[in-house]
Amino acid sequence: MTKESILVIDDEEVMRDVLGRVLGQAGYVVAFAETGLEGLELARRGSYAAAIVDVMLPELGGLEVLE
């Protein structure tokens, strides 16, 4: 059985930890990025069923990442 992967992009470590724990317990494989640019690079290299993106990110905001 292949597990779905979710990309979490958030600059707050606490949020990454909480989302990683909850999603991991739900059976998802979770990849993390601390910045929008890092998240874009991970998205280009991988395949994700969904992304959870913080709107307020330094340098490149979450809405820009989603575009």
Side-chain angles (χ1 to χ4, degrees):
M1 178 177 168
T2 303
K3 292 183 178 185
E4 295 287 341
S5 295
I6 295 180
L7 175 59
V8 173
I9 307 172
D10 199 307
D11 59 331
E12 295 182 35
E13 185 176 3
V14 171
M15 287 303 296
R16 292 192 308 271
D17 290 345
V18 169
L19 288 168
R21 194 172 318 118
V22 170
L23 294 169
Q25 288 174 351
Y28 294 98
V29 175
V30 185
F32 300 98
E34 191 171 335
T35 68
L37 293 174
E38 183 183 350
L40 282 176
E41 183 59 33
L42 286 175
R44 288 182 181 116
R45 290 186 288 163
S47 176
Y48 300 95
I52 299 174
V53 183
D54 184 2
V55 174
M56 300 296 290
L57 293 168
E59 297 177 19
L60 185 65
L63 295 177
E64 294 171 299
V65 170
L66 293 174
E67 286 178 3

